[in-house]
């Protein structure tokens, strides 16, 4: 392969079925993912995990900590610091309850998969080391959905630090995919005193890597990634520090990126608006396989 773009073998048939009107798209689930940054001598590095090859969705691909929204986060009043829920609703283009749930998902999933918690005992504080046995027991209960995020914060007397997050972009899984997500991508800086670890059962390794190095290794076909992952890495190369990236987040366009498939001269052209590098040409017939 010319690069490391994740491209499942079943896509061509599903794209053809969607174009023919014989495939009904599934509704995407709400999700959030976080590009966790820390400064290094060579610029900011981002925390990435490699999904286990056995995973049904994007197995073997590098990604950021993230996952689906817990419906309980819509209903429970979460201890909160930073911009108001109304501010986040306007920023994310959703209602206030949904905005809370999406921000909660970003913070919770970062804790579940990387062991990093964007919360503190006061609106201007952040917890320190979270690797102790008690923290791990709570993290495991969150993963098992035995404990809601609101209950976790209340139990520990913590407030969610929404001001430590910056909304970066939004991507929706293509309509021909069997597993679909409406995902908001956030940036955040690694809090002082905390450290990442591979806490995810879905990942077999984690790395801190500069966006430029990760993008170069993708281009050489060494790292497998989904389009939104490599797209956001390329965007992050413009910033010299984690603080610069966070400062740029409020001006970022959150118009959803959704792939389209159209018939052109006997081929189905798969494209992501604004991201020409991901364009694929799929034969309209069932013979010949996927093009480059």
């Amino acid at each position: 392969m010319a690069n490391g773009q994740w491209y499942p073998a079943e896509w061509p048939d599903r794209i053809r079925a969607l174009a023919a009107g014989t495939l009904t798209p599934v509704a995407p689930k709400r999700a959030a993912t976080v590009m966790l940054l820390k400064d290094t001598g060579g610029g900011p590095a981002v925390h990435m995990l490699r999904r286990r090859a056995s995973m049904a969705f994007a197995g073997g691909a590098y990604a950021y900590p993230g996952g689906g929204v817990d419906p309980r986060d819509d209903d429970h009043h979460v201890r909160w610091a930073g911009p108001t829920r109304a501010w986040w609703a306007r920023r994310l283009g959703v209602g206030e309850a949904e905005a809370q749930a999406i921000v909660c998902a970003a913070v919770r999933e970062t804790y579940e998969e990387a062991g990093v918690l964007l919360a503190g005992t006061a609106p201007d504080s952040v917890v320190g080391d979270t690797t102790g046995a008690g923290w791990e027991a709570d993290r495991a209960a969150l993963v098992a959905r035995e404990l809601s995020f609101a209950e976790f914060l209340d139990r520990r007397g913590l407030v969610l630090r929404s001001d430590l997050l910056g909304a970066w972009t939004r991507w929706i899984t293509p309509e021909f995919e069997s597993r679909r997500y409406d995902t908001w991508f956030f940036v955040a800086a690694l809090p002082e005193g905390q450290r990442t670890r591979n806490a995810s059962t879905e990942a077999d390794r984690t790395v801190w890597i500069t966006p430029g190095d990760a993008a170069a290794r993708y281009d050489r076909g060494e790292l497998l990634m989904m389009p939104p992952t490599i797209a956001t890495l390329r965007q992050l190369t413009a910033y010299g520090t984690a603080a610069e990236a966070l400062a740029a987040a409020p001006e970022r366009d959150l118009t959803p990126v959704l792939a389209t498939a159209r018939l052109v001269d006997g081929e189905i052209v798969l494209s992501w608006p604004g991201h020409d590098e991901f364009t694929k040409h799929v034969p309209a017939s069932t013979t010949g396989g996927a093009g480059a």
Side-chain angles (χ1 to χ4, degrees), residues 2 60 102 198 277 287:
I102 293 164
N198 184 7
E277 72 167 296
T287 59

Side-chain angles (χ1 to χ4, degrees), residues 11-232:
W11 270 16
D13 286 342
R14 294 188 65 86
I15 292 169
R16 284 189 285 265
L18 180 66
T22 58
L23 176 68
T24 301
V26 299
K29 298 179 180 179
R30 298 171 302 165
T33 191
V34 176
M35 299 176 285
L36 193 61
L37 305 172
K38 71 174 181 179
D39 291 326
T40 71
V46 62
H47 180 71
M48 303 189 75
L49 52 85
R50 184 176 67 185
R51 295 174 60 83
R52 294 185 184 278
S54 59
M55 295 297 295
F57 183 80
Y62 280 77
Y64 312 115
V69 165
D70 182 344
R72 292 176 294 182
D73 292 335
D74 290 87
D75 305 325
H76 291 69
H77 184 76
V78 174
R79 295 165 64 97
W80 192 273
T84 65
R85 292 165 179 79
W87 184 93
W88 277 106
R90 291 190 297 271
R91 179 71 182 112
L92 302 179
V94 298
E96 289 190 27
E98 190 170 6
Q100 173 183 282
I102 293 164
V103 172
C104 281
V107 176
R108 175 178 46 76
E109 288 288 338
T110 303
Y111 183 50
E112 289 182 7
E113 297 198 338
V116 170
L117 182 59
L118 304 177
T121 56
D124 59 351
S125 71
V126 186
V127 297
D129 183 20
T130 62
T131 59
W135 286 105
E136 180 57 25
D138 281 350
R139 191 196 66 79
L142 286 168
V143 172
R145 298 296 183 264
E146 297 168 353
L147 183 67
S148 75
F149 195 60
E151 292 168 338
F152 164 71
L153 294 175
D154 285 343
R155 173 184 295 183
R156 290 193 167 268
L158 299 174
V159 293
L160 181 153
R161 290 286 306 275
S162 76
D163 55 314
L164 299 182
L165 286 170
W168 192 260
T169 191
R170 179 183 177 186
W171 286 62
I172 302 177
T173 310
E175 291 183 331
F176 50 81
E177 260 292 348
S178 57
R179 297 170 182 264
R180 299 189 65 215
Y181 300 93
D182 184 353
T183 305
W184 282 261
F185 286 70
F186 295 84
V187 288
L190 178 68
E192 185 176 352
Q194 294 194 42
R195 51 182 171 165
T196 58
R197 64 188 188 276
N198 184 7
S200 173
T201 59
E202 299 179 354
D204 59 13
R205 70 169 300 198
T206 62
V207 296
W208 279 102
I209 188 170
T210 64
D213 186 19
R217 294 181 65 182
Y218 166 90
D219 289 336
R220 294 194 296 266
E222 297 172 4
L223 298 184
L224 188 67
M225 299 180 201
M226 294 175 283
T229 308
I230 180 58
T232 49

